[in-house]
Amino acid sequence: MKNNREIGIAGSVAAAGVALGAVAFGAFLSRRHDGGNDDAPKIARRKNQGEHTLVGRTVTIRKPAAELYAYWRDFGNLPEFMENVEQITKQGGTKGRANWTIKAPAGTTVDLKTEITDDVENERIAWASLEGSDIETTGEVTFTEAPGDRGTRVSLRIEYDARGGAIGRGIAKAFLREPEVQARHDLKRFKMLMETGEIATSAHRKSETRKAKQQENG
Amino acid sequence: MRALTWHGTHDVRVDTVPDPEIINPRDAILKITSTAICGSDLHLYDGVIPGVVPGDVLGHEFMGEVVETGKDSTLKKGQRVVVPFTISCGGCFHCQIKQYSACENSNPAEKQDMSATLYGHPMAALFGYSHLTGGYSGGQAEYVRVPFSDVGPIVIPDHLEDEQVLFLSDILPTGWMGAENADIQPDDTVAVWGCGPVGLFAIQSAIIMGASKVIAIDHYPHRLELAKQLGAEVINFKTTDVREALMEMSGGIGVDAVIDAVGMEAHGFAVDNMLDMVKQTIGIGADRAAALKQAILAVRPGGRVSIPGVYGGMTDKFPLGALMEKGLQVKSGQTHVQRYTKPLLEKIEDGTIDTTFLISHRLPLEDAARGYKNFREEQDSWTKVVLKPEVEKGETV
Ligand SMILES: NC(=O)c1ccc[n+]([C@@H]2O[C@H](COP(=O)([O-])OP(=O)(O)OC[C@H]3O[C@@H](n4cnc5c(N)ncnc54)[C@H](O)[C@@H]3O)[C@@H](O)[C@H]2O)c1
Ligand SMILES: [Zn+2]
Ligand SMILES: [Zn+2]
């Protein structure tokens, strides 16, 4: 009797264990399906294998979200800190349409028409390229409050289609030569501008600055 | 203008280079009146810091007269100022908590990647100290562009001479922070490795902070003599077993705190093959950490390790076991100069601190190359070199 009972208990424990294991394995599979099993943002994955290439970064800026949002929402400001963007002209309208002129190698430019696809005041701005652009891309910037008085966490995500034909890929490469690096540097410069009112440069003379070089090339 | 420029290992020259201009609103331009050569400059001179480019203007210890200001500078033309060697914006998280040498905004965005790769985080900018730390032109020159001039520079009252205050730019605060990081208690015995400018100021600071005994370690008789004059007991590591001596001098307990004011070019250590491999792979010199290793073995269990000495890369055979098993506390870093300029200026004014004892040589800027050579090769007698741009070559200072 005693033995049977023990076997019975052991059996149900084992069964429960298997069941739990199955649940856990199911959870594992479903997490694996969405690409990771931790809390890190997608951007930090070792490989993002989708059809699109995703780049981005987060910085913390010691300024209120409202101020940062307002500056970014005015797309005409972006070339101030975006290295490759020569000019953005706003087309007006409710969808915040804008035309971008982006510097590419050998003195050429890449043109982009965008409209705002989502706009949550002081929290999020998303945009996407429109028909007739040289490249297919979407972008998003989010502003979330950092703990204490540390300011605002600003995350930039840019996705672009790197499949295309040879031409498309060429343009994509030209547009974002080192997309990771570019996004990182652009965000750093945004932070500098917001926190210090200027963009750090070790230039010794005006002729060595980014602006002077931009004008020279452009 | 004339400026001391780097051309390669053991090759620095005074060249004619373009004058600096105001670029950003918070900039100021100084006309340099006095500038010094630092032990840190010797690391550049010896080619062990990566990211120096031929033509770079060196120098991070300088002072001068304001001759031009950007529209957001708070300085006024004609003011005499000393400038911290760390460039700090004053507005980022790290500046706000007074960790100025970790400023997030002074190193240009496109220059941050190298140090971010090496150290996990980008470094703040420093004057005249490689492109790892921004590639800013330094102050061993007639003029210099000073970014964030509303944050760093400290205005000097007329009655103080250049030589009394010049070292507020670096080595005086560095020695002070070196001692502060050793968390000195009244009954403490503190040992300091290196009796160069940083070590000597650390000794002076430790005594002011109330250490009961300070023991200085070096092998240059004159430098040890200077340490003695400041009130330290001394050990010559060439003739004495340092660890044995320190145990005896601390009553068999071990010293309570140790300060490494030597850095990555410690004497008496052969770089082995492993390090050469690392050196080749990442393209930087392997750090020689003999003094630091000795300090970690000498400090008592539960003791404090302060490292103002500069290290740039990696080191091999580090006594990590001693660090953990003895439960040591370690503090280090480029100095948060802006934190200390004002209180230390007050100590200079009220006579608590004298810095002029250190200066052994005063040269015209034109003779800077000779200054580097001798500061490196005649370390015993060349304790600190001050350069004067306004003095003509051949003229005596
Ligand atoms: N943390 C900072 O912000 C900061 C600022 C300035 C300088 N530093 C660094 O501090 C260090 C010292 O600067 P300094 O201007 O005094 O340089 P220095 O070269 O004039 O002096 C170094 C001294 O260390 C001695 N020494 C060498 N090996 C030794 C050993 N094994 N044991 C004991 N002593 C030894 C030398 O004989 C010399 O006297 C350098 O690494 C420098 O880069 C750091
Ligand atoms: Zn220095
Ligand atoms: Zn800062």
Side-chain angles (χ1 to χ4, degrees):
Chain A
M1 263 315 274
K2 196 183 169 205
N3 272 353
N4 280 351
R5 234 189 88 215
E6 273 175 2
I7 290 165
I9 291 169
S12 41
V13 168
V18 168
L20 275 176
V23 170
F25 187 62
F28 166 72
L29 277 185
S30 71
R31 282 222 209 92
R32 210 178 56 157
H33 183 69
D34 72 359
N37 55 1
D38 60 26
D39 296 326
K42 220 165 144 191
I43 206 79
R45 304 243 167 90
R46 289 192 187 282
K47 259 199 195 119
N48 56 65
Q49 284 164 323
E51 309 164 332
H52 294 243
T53 303
L54 176 68
V55 299
R57 270 291 157 129
T58 299
V59 293
T60 302
I61 304 183
R62 280 188 76 256
K63 290 285 170 187
E67 197 177 313
L68 305 177
Y69 166 88
Y71 190 88
W72 198 295
R73 181 65 180 74
D74 183 351
F75 274 46
N77 284 331
L78 304 188
E80 281 293 316
F81 60 88
M82 288 188 168
E83 173 95 349
N84 280 351
V85 180
E86 265 175 20
Q87 201 185 16
I88 297 182
T89 37
K90 291 180 283 179
Q91 303 299 301
T94 48
K95 293 193 164 166
R97 289 201 172 169
N99 292 350
W100 304 44
T101 312
I102 297 159
K103 205 165 54 181
T108 58
T109 57
V110 165
D111 293 315
L112 200 63
K113 294 185 186 3
T114 58
E115 70 176 22
I116 290 180
T117 51
D118 190 28
D119 184 8
V120 185
E121 199 178 352
N122 303 339
E123 285 178 23
R124 178 171 193 264
I125 307 165
W127 59 94
S129 58
L130 296 170
E131 198 78 33
S133 297
D134 289 339
I135 186 177
E136 219 182 292
T137 178
T138 60
E140 176 198 47
V141 60
T142 56
F143 308 90
T144 50
E145 206 179 309
D149 60 357
R150 289 192 178 197
T152 307
R153 287 181 179 159
V154 181
S155 298
L156 174 66
R157 302 280 181 263
I158 292 171
E159 206 161 342
Y160 64 95
D161 192 343
R163 289 173 310 165
I167 295 174
R169 206 163 25 237
I171 292 174
K173 260 181 141 172
F175 170 39
L176 295 160
R177 245 160 312 166
E178 296 166 293
E180 287 258 8
V181 177
Q182 208 59 57
R184 186 163 78 233
H185 291 181
D186 286 350
L187 261 194
K188 284 270 164 80
R189 279 187 282 264
F190 178 56
K191 173 179 162 73
M192 287 171 180
L193 195 58
M194 295 296 102
E195 285 185 339
T196 75
E198 54 188 53
I199 293 172
T201 171
S202 54
H204 190 65
R205 310 206 25 105
K206 286 192 194 108
S207 57
E208 296 166 4
T209 57
R210 195 167 65 94
K211 237 186 206 133
K213 282 187 183 144
Q214 251 176 7
Q215 275 156 10
E216 211 173 277
N217 295 345
Chain B
M1 68 167 182
R2 302 289 284 166
L4 188 279
T5 56
W6 187 92
H7 289 271
T9 302
H10 301 156
D11 183 4
V12 292
R13 305 170 203 164
V14 177
D15 287 338
T16 299
V17 303
D19 287 358
E21 290 175 328
I22 296 277
I23 296 189
N24 275 334
R26 294 165 67 183
D27 290 354
I29 306 280
L30 297 194
K31 182 179 201 304
I32 306 288
T33 54
S34 298
T35 171
I37 305 175
C38 178
S40 298
D41 291 328
L42 292 183
H43 301 321
L44 303 175
Y45 189 62
D46 290 338
V48 297
I49 296 279
V52 195
V53 175
D56 281 356
V57 177
L58 306 188
H60 58 268
E61 300 183 355
F62 56 86
M63 62 181 296
E65 185 195 322
V66 179
V67 291
E68 224 184 310
T69 53
K71 75 173 176 44
D72 295 336
S73 171
T74 49
L75 296 175
K76 290 180 183 56
K77 278 184 202 170
Q79 280 179 325
R80 261 172 91 223
V81 296
V82 174
V83 180
F85 78 97
T86 40
I87 305 176
S88 311
C89 78
C92 69
F93 167 69
H94 286 99
C95 284
Q96 284 298 308
I97 59 170
K98 296 192 161 42
Q99 292 181 349
Y100 294 101
S101 72
C103 174
E104 299 156 61
N105 290 325
S106 57
N107 198 347
E110 63 279 9
K111 307 240 172 165
Q112 294 187 3
D113 293 333
M114 195 174 10
S115 55
T117 306
L118 264 177
Y119 307 139
H121 285 78
M123 288 187 72
L126 310 177
F127 283 103
Y129 212 72
S130 93
H131 289 254
L132 210 63
T133 48
Y136 286 88
S137 287
Q140 288 164 1
E142 287 183 276
Y143 297 92
V144 69
R145 168 184 164 238
V146 178
F148 305 123
S149 65
D150 53 325
V151 177
I154 178 163
V155 179
I156 302 301
D158 286 343
H159 66 273
L160 294 172
E161 300 287 331
D162 274 21
E163 292 184 359
Q164 288 178 279
V165 294
L166 172 61
F167 302 143
L168 283 169
S169 56
D170 176 358
I171 49 175
L172 183 61
T174 296
W176 187 268
M177 187 167 112
E180 197 175 80
N181 278 347
D183 192 14
I184 294 165
Q185 308 297 313
D187 298 331
D188 277 354
T189 300
V190 180
V192 180
W193 274 255
C195 296
V198 171
L200 290 169
F201 283 142
I203 291 164
Q204 191 183 40
S205 305
I207 290 169
I208 293 172
M209 290 175 194
S212 102
K213 191 196 286 198
V214 177
I215 304 168
I217 303 147
D218 204 308
H219 63 118
Y220 290 126
H222 175 62
R223 290 187 167 201
L224 286 172
E225 184 52 40
L226 289 174
K228 220 173 207 164
Q229 283 167 19
L230 290 171
E233 296 179 13
V234 302
I235 296 174
N236 185 329
F237 72 80
K238 278 272 163 72
T239 53
T240 298
D241 181 324
V242 175
R243 214 155 26 111
E244 182 88 32
L246 287 176
M247 281 303 277
E248 288 306 306
M249 292 161 91
S250 60
I253 294 173
V255 290
D256 300 287
V258 292
I259 301 175
D260 169 7
V262 176
M264 66 199 285
E265 295 188 80
H267 305 163
F269 182 69
V271 182
D272 65 31
N273 289 340
M274 261 295 280
L275 297 185
D276 278 342
M277 213 174 75
V278 174
K279 186 173 171 174
Q280 280 165 354
T281 315
I282 61 174
I284 64 165
D287 297 346
R288 287 181 267 149
L292 179 57
K293 291 172 186 177
Q294 195 171 59
I296 286 174
L297 294 181
V299 69
R300 71 163 169 81
R304 285 95 55 192
V305 181
S306 161
I307 315 171
V310 162
Y311 294 88
M314 309 191 183
T315 190
D316 190 22
K317 301 192 176 64
F318 188 76
L320 192 54
L323 184 77
M324 189 278 159
E325 300 293 352
K326 293 205 286 183
L328 306 182
Q329 295 173 41
V330 182
K331 285 191 182 177
S332 187
Q334 296 286 354
T335 306
H336 306 301
V337 180
Q338 287 84 342
R339 215 195 263 176
Y340 302 101
T341 42
K342 206 161 163 269
L344 290 176
L345 177 63
E346 281 164 17
K347 286 198 163 46
I348 290 168
E349 280 202 275
D350 71 17
T352 315
I353 288 178
D354 165 54
T355 66
T356 56
F357 76 92
L358 191 66
I359 304 168
S360 58
H361 294 80
R362 297 160 179 89
L363 302 177
L365 175 67
E366 290 295 330
D367 278 343
R370 186 163 70 92
Y372 269 80
K373 189 167 189 295
N374 290 329
F375 183 48
R376 179 177 179 278
E377 292 173 6
E378 311 288 335
Q379 285 215 311
D380 189 28
S381 51
W382 287 62
T383 48
K384 191 74 183 177
V385 183
V386 174
L387 303 169
K388 298 276 188 179
E390 286 166 339
V391 176
E392 299 285 318
K393 196 180 174 89
E395 229 179 285
T396 43
V397 185

